[in-house]
Each structure stands twice: as C-alpha cells, then as structure tokens.
C-alpha cells in the first residue's frame, strides 16, 4: 500500500461520513421544524 | 440504454427524479416575498448552507473537468488546479464573509451599484448572468444522458435540465437547498465508496503507477507552465462567484457563513482528490483492458466508477451524478434569474417594483437564463474550454471593482467602476474573437494558439491566457477612471451600505 492509497482511503472515510452526518442533521432539523410549526398552528 | 447500467438502477434514478419534483411542490408558497424566494428568508441552517455551497459549486463541469484533466495529465489536476481554488475559499472565509454578510446585500451587482452606481452594476449584472447561465452543467448533463439512457445529448439535457428548472421555479432557494442537501449526500456517499473500489479493482496505486505514463505522477505534470498558471488563475473567479455570494447573504450570520465555507473547503478537498484519483484510475483501467480503449476522457470517470460499484449502488451513484448537474443548474439559474430581475429589471425598468413583481420577474428571468444556457451549451466541444471562457468573462469584468469596493479605502469614482467593468468585458470579447481569427486551432489541446517569433525565439499565446491580458486592462481602467472621475461619497462595507 502506497501513500496515495492511504490518502484515498482517508478521504473516502471523511467524505462518506460527511454525507451521512449532513443528511442526518438536515433530516433532524427538518423534523424539529415541522413539529414546531405544528405546535404553533395548534396554539 | 447503456450496457454498463443494470435495469434496477433505472428504477432508482426514476424514483429519485420523482422525489425532486415532489420537493419543489412541497416548497411552493403562493405569497412568498422576494427575500424568501431568493435567499430563503436569510434563515438557512448550517447543514443546508454547507450542502448547498458544496453541491452548487461542485457541478458536473468540475466533476468531468477535473477527472478529464486527471485522465489526461494526472496529479496536476489536483495540485495545479483544484488546490488553488481551495486557497481562495480560505481567503473568502477569513477575509470576505464577514464584510459581505454584515452589509446585508442581496446580489453581487448590488455591491457594484452601491459603490459605483447603476451603470457599473448593469455591466456587472450582465457578466454575472453570463457566468451563471447553466451552460456547462447542461452540456455535461447531455453527455450523462447519452451514457445512462442512450438518448441524444440535446434531448437528455432538455428533459433532466427541465426538471431542475421546474422545482427551482416552484420553490426558489428553499427548494434548491433541500434538493442540494439530498443530492450532495448521495454524491458524497457513492463517490466515497466507488473510487476506493475502483482503485482496489485495478490493484491499488502500485499497479496504477505501472499502467499510466510516469508524467501522471509528477505533482505539476507535463503541462506547459503558462497553461498551468492560466488554469490556476481561473480559480480567481471563486472570489467573485455570485452563487457563493448568494449563499453567504442567505446565512443567518457572518460566523455561520465562515464556518460553512471552512467545512465546505475540507469536503471539496477530499472530493477533489477522489475525483482526481478516479480519473487516473480510469486511465489505468483503459490501459489494462478493463474498460474499452475508445472511452472519451470526459466520460472515463463516470464509466469506471459505475463499473466498480455493485448493482444498486451504481444506480445511486448515477442518480448522484445527475443530481450534481441539477444542483448546479438550479443554483446558478436562480442567481442568473435574480440578476435579470433584481439587477437589471429593478434599477433600469421599475425602481418601485413590489415584492410580487420581483418574484414574478425572477421566475421569468430563470426561464430566460435556462433557455440561453441551453442554446450556448452545445456551441463548445470541450467542457474546460467553456468553463475557462465564462470564468474569464466574470473575472475580467467584476473582480477588480468588487475587490476594490471591499478592500480599497482610497478614492473611488463612478467612472473607475464603469471603466474597470466595461474595459474588462470588452477586452475579453475582443481577445476571444481575435484569437479565433489569427490563432490556429490545436486539436490536441482543443483551443486556439497564436505563435510568433521575435529574435529567433518562438512565443505562443493560447486562448486560455485571456485573463493575463484582460485583468490588467480592468485594473488599468479602474485607476484611469479614478484619475479622471469625480470622487463619490466616502463609503464603507463595514456598515450597512457602501
């Protein structure tokens, strides 16, 4: 394994996890906003 | 239909396209204000801001451009081209984001309007609109359509680009940001899985180094030094990218904008490397006979990664590739539409325009920008040539006046802005037309080159060198205008207006 292989693996791990984390945080925020809006409408 | 793409992948792509239109319908609000439509009410969350920044900048033009460059020239695509862009992003994060966000602007030409007046901002709006026309993305989307669906590039770009147009018209920046987040996540995950699999399939970088020319593993390759500098200089456009500015204006605060740019920069770096690694690996796959030898350098990355991924994931990857183009089309078309409405229609036709009129004008502008982009997209043979042209136009026109407005504390006159913008734009057009007349078309590099001899030495000027001449002309225009123009009221971007 060369340094380029290692760099590729590190970049892949970082990029893949960035995608998953951003999607998770986005969906969580969207769900919270929706719940907050529903609550406001009820009040 | 392509023999590289299994049937189940078509189902995944279809479901994905249906989802995009649904988001546009979900985000649609009948009585929206202009600021809601164009800046999502300046209330975007950090994940949305990061996603929309990364995915809008990282379109198929970059994906194909970088991988094409890596396929042809190797590591130079990363060290000579991509990294220079990232340095400029750091500059924006630390030195520009605060100034831009705290001044509460709506668009890039508005900076010129406040600093130099409406004539300058109109020229800036034209060049910003040209830069934001979805030319390169529609061109690349056409090529993807040919590969994935086997349809003519013109029809593919029309249908898929039309879907991006539809949800942008319906939901404005909010729909763009939501779709961008999903598109960006898909692309990150599939590239992160696909490229290592491709490298592993070939036998790692040890095997790749044996299969590609040795020049591919030189950090700056074998490309002529001036062309390398020209590619790196095109990254200057990042400092005045209207779409990036729009994201900064849409942030909740300057701090949020800076953090989003910094996070995006790290993501861009990793993404850039994986695309470059994929491009080099694709060449190795062709050399070793894994892929057909008549693969076009533009398509090599796409074909190689699709080949390496298992069924299902390859469908998500292709959906992500289509998404990458669509996220650039929607983001830039929205900005081009706002250039037409907010920076041309409002100051020149209807200064008292209401919010409803501006939103309507923006939607008409979006359709005009998309149509113009579609017409221009197929006039060029190479993505890089088209990309360099549009970045040269905007850099030569607004780079000097915008940077001077933000950082130069000395005397500034309306004439300085006007001459800087006008001379820069005119010089680009003259240079490109002139080179196509006196230069010789080079098939290998796909560009016009003008060669001449002085004292026995031969010199060559490439069409890509336009910025070396046009940017100094724009700077000269600024100083000449400052000498002969009358001083405008002292203003500063630190406060509310210039």
């Amino acid at each position: 394994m060369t340094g380029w292989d290692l760099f590729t693996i590190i970049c892949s791990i970082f990029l893949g996890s960035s995608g998953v984390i951003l999607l998770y945080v986005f969906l969580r925020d969207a769900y919270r906003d929706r719940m907050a809006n529903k609550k406001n409408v009820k009040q | 239909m392509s023999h590289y793409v299994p049937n189940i992948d078509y189902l995944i792509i279809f479901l994905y396209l249906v989802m995009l239109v649904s988001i546009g319908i979900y985000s649609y609000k009948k009585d929206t204000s202009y600021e809601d439509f164009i800046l999502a009410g300046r209330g975007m969350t950090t994940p949305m801001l990061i996603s929309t920044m990364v995915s809008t900048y990282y379109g198929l033009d970059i994906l194909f451009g970088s991988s094409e460059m890596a396929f042809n020239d190797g590591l130079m695509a990363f060290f000579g081209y991509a990294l220079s862009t990232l340095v400029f992003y750091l500059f924006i994060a630390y030195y520009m984001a605060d100034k831009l966000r705290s001044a509460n602007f709506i668009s890039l030409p508005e900076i010129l309007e406040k600093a130099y007046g409406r004539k300058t901002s109109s020229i800036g709006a034209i060049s910003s609109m040209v830069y934001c026309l979805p030319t390169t993305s529609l061109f690349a989307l056409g090529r993807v359509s040919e590969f994935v669906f086997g349809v003519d590039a013109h029809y593919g770009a029309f249908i898929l680009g039309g879907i991006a147009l539809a949800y942008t018209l319906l939901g404005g920046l909010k729909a763009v940001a939501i779709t961008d987040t999903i598109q960006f996540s898909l692309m990150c995950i599939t590239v992160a899985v696909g490229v290592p699999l491709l490298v592993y399939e070939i036998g790692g970088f040890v095997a790749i180094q044996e299969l590609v020319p040795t020049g591919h593993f030189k950090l700056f390759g074998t490309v002529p030094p001036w062309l390398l500098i020209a590619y790196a200089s095109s990254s200057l456009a990042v400092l005045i990218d209207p779409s990036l500015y729009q994201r900064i204006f849409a942030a909740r605060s300057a701090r949020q904008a800076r953090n989003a740019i910094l996070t995006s920069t790290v993501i861009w770096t990793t993404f850039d490397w994986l695309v470059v690694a994929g491009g080099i690996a694709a060449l190795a796959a062709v050399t070793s006979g894994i892929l057909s030898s008549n693969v076009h350098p533009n398509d090599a990355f796409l074909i190689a990664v699709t080949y390496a991924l298992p069924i299902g994931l390859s469908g998500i990857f292709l959906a992500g590739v289509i998404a990458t183009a669509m996220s650039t089309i929607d983001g830039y078309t929205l900005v081009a539409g706002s250039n037409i409405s907010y920076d041309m229609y409002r100051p020149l036709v209807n200064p008292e325009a209401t919010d409803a009129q501006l939103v309507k004008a923006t939607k008409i502008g979006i359709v005009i920008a998309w149509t113009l982009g579609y017409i221009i997209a197929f006039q060029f043979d190479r993505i890089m040539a088209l990309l360099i042209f549009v970045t040269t136009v905007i850099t030569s026109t607004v780079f000097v006046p915008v940077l001077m407005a933000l950082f130069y504390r000395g005397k500034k006159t309306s004439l300085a802005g006007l001459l800087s913008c006008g001379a820069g734009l005119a010089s680009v057009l003259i240079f490109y037309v002139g080179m196509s007349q006196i230069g010789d078309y080079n098939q290998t590099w796909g560009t016009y080159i003008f060669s001449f001899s002085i004292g026995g030495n031969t010199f060559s000027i490439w069409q890509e060198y336009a910025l070396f001449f046009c940017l100094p002309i724009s700077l000269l225009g600024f100083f000449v205008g400052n000498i002969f123009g009358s001083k405008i009221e002292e203003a500063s971007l630190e406060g509310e207006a210039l």
Side-chain angles (χ1 to χ4, degrees):
Chain A
M1 183 182 273
T2 66
W4 299 119
D5 291 289
L6 196 62
F7 187 43
T8 304
I9 292 166
I10 292 168
C11 286
S12 297
I13 293 168
F14 180 83
L15 191 68
S17 44
S18 298
V20 173
I21 291 167
L22 273 174
L23 190 61
Y24 165 74
V25 177
F26 164 72
L27 291 173
R28 189 198 63 190
D29 288 352
Y31 177 75
R32 282 181 184 168
D33 277 358
R34 201 171 168 79
M35 288 297 111
N37 284 343
K38 269 189 181 174
K39 212 174 177 181
N40 287 341
V41 170
K42 274 183 188 173
Q43 281 172 354
Chain B
M1 298 284 178
S2 168
H3 64 278
Y4 287 106
V5 185
N7 283 338
I8 190 150
D9 288 348
Y10 287 111
L11 181 67
I12 292 170
I13 295 168
F14 175 74
L15 290 175
Y16 165 75
L17 294 174
V18 170
M19 181 192 70
L20 288 183
V21 179
S22 309
I23 289 170
I25 295 167
Y26 168 78
S27 310
Y28 176 68
K29 271 167 68 181
K30 200 174 178 185
D31 299 314
T32 184
S33 72
Y34 180 71
E35 208 163 283
D36 272 345
F37 186 76
I38 208 75
L39 296 179
R42 296 192 198 265
M44 286 172 66
T45 62
T46 304
M48 279 170 92
L49 199 59
I50 293 170
S51 302
T52 192
M53 267 184 191
V54 175
S55 61
T56 298
Y57 167 70
Y58 217 108
L60 276 195
D61 41 3
I62 308 289
L63 188 70
F64 280 8
S66 290
S67 63
E68 176 195 8
M69 207 183 270
F71 186 92
N72 289 326
D73 305 304
L75 290 181
M76 185 282 284
F78 184 70
F79 291 97
Y81 180 65
L83 279 188
S84 57
T85 309
L86 302 170
V87 170
F88 292 129
Y89 275 111
L90 291 179
F91 183 82
I92 292 178
Y94 284 109
Y95 298 105
M96 294 176 73
D98 191 35
K99 282 176 185 287
L100 291 169
R101 180 61 189 87
S102 57
N104 270 335
F105 291 117
I106 284 186
S107 69
L108 179 140
E110 197 184 11
I111 300 173
L112 298 173
E113 186 182 333
K114 296 234 168 98
Y116 310 103
R118 286 182 177 170
K119 285 178 186 167
T120 305
S121 78
S122 299
I123 300 173
I126 291 169
S127 70
S128 169
M129 189 197 73
V130 169
Y131 179 74
C132 291
L133 291 177
T135 46
T136 49
S137 296
L138 283 169
F139 178 92
L141 200 54
R143 290 202 70 93
V144 174
S145 308
E146 275 184 335
F147 166 70
V148 178
F149 303 110
V151 297
D152 182 76
H154 293 77
Y155 294 124
F158 185 79
I159 295 166
L160 294 174
I163 293 172
L165 175 69
Y167 70 72
T168 308
L169 282 174
L170 283 169
L173 184 62
K174 192 181 173 192
V176 168
I178 295 172
T179 51
D180 279 359
T181 307
I182 297 163
Q183 289 162 347
F184 163 72
S185 305
L186 280 177
M187 200 59 202
C188 281
I189 296 164
T190 50
V191 166
V193 175
V195 172
L197 278 180
L198 174 65
V199 171
Y200 176 76
E201 186 85 21
I202 297 164
F205 272 91
V206 174
I208 291 173
Q209 277 177 311
E210 287 170 7
L211 289 164
V212 301
T214 47
H216 273 55
F217 276 85
K218 286 183 181 168
L219 295 191
F220 296 102
T222 52
V223 174
W226 284 107
L227 185 61
L228 192 66
I229 297 170
Y231 282 148
S233 305
S234 71
S235 312
L236 281 173
V238 165
L239 295 179
I240 31 103
D241 187 318
S243 184
L244 183 68
Y245 276 29
Q246 188 204 26
R247 270 46 178 188
I248 294 171
F249 302 150
R252 284 177 179 162
S253 65
R255 188 163 170 245
Q256 189 204 24
R258 191 191 64 206
N259 290 342
I261 297 170
L262 289 175
T263 311
S264 302
T265 305
V266 182
I267 294 170
W268 276 314
T269 310
T270 55
F271 207 122
D272 271 325
W273 170 252
L274 289 176
V275 170
V276 168
I280 299 171
L283 176 64
V286 170
T287 314
S288 63
I290 294 174
L291 296 181
S292 161
S293 59
N294 57 4
V295 166
H296 192 284
N298 265 340
D299 305 333
F301 176 77
L302 186 68
I303 295 171
V305 176
T306 309
Y307 165 82
L309 283 168
I311 296 173
L313 264 186
S314 55
I316 296 175
F317 170 69
L318 290 173
V321 169
I322 292 169
T324 303
M326 291 171 99
S327 65
T328 308
I329 291 170
D330 60 28
Y332 279 104
T333 311
L334 186 66
V335 178
S338 81
N339 287 147
I340 292 171
S341 65
Y342 192 78
D343 304 309
M344 294 184 203
Y345 166 77
R346 178 189 57 87
L348 301 176
V349 181
N350 187 1
E352 306 299 323
T354 62
D355 256 18
Q357 286 172 322
L358 278 178
V359 171
K360 192 178 172 188
T362 305
K363 290 184 176 180
I364 294 170
I366 287 170
V367 176
I368 293 171
W370 190 95
T371 310
L372 280 174
Y374 183 82
I375 293 167
I376 296 171
F378 296 98
Q379 306 299 319
F380 284 74
D381 292 332
R382 285 174 68 237
I383 289 180
M384 280 310 286
L386 182 54
L387 194 63
I388 296 284
F389 172 70
V390 293
T391 53
T392 304
V393 167
I394 193 160
T395 311
S396 303
T397 312
V398 303
F399 183 84
V400 171
V402 166
L403 271 281
M404 288 297 186
L406 291 170
F407 295 105
Y408 182 61
R409 292 188 178 275
K411 178 188 169 189
K412 285 191 284 281
T413 69
S414 295
L415 188 64
L418 191 60
L419 276 184
S420 181
C421 266
L425 182 61
S427 62
V428 175
L429 299 177
I430 291 168
F431 188 90
Y432 263 79
V433 173
M435 282 298 290
S436 64
Q437 297 299 316
I438 62 170
D440 297 316
Y441 188 76
N442 183 298
Q443 289 288 350
T444 311
W445 293 99
T447 189
Y448 285 96
I449 301 174
F450 173 61
S451 300
F452 59 95
S453 295
I454 299 175
N457 295 316
T458 305
F459 299 92
S460 295
I461 297 177
W462 295 40
Q463 201 167 40
E464 277 76 3
Y465 297 172
L467 208 56
F468 300 151
F469 300 94
C470 302
L471 201 56
I473 288 173
S474 175
L475 188 64
L476 186 68
F478 182 85
F479 286 117
V480 170
N482 249 357
I483 293 167
F484 294 105
S486 52
K487 190 178 178 184
I488 50 179
E489 280 198 20
E490 192 61 45
S492 163
L493 276 167
E494 305 286 341
E496 284 193 348
L498 279 164

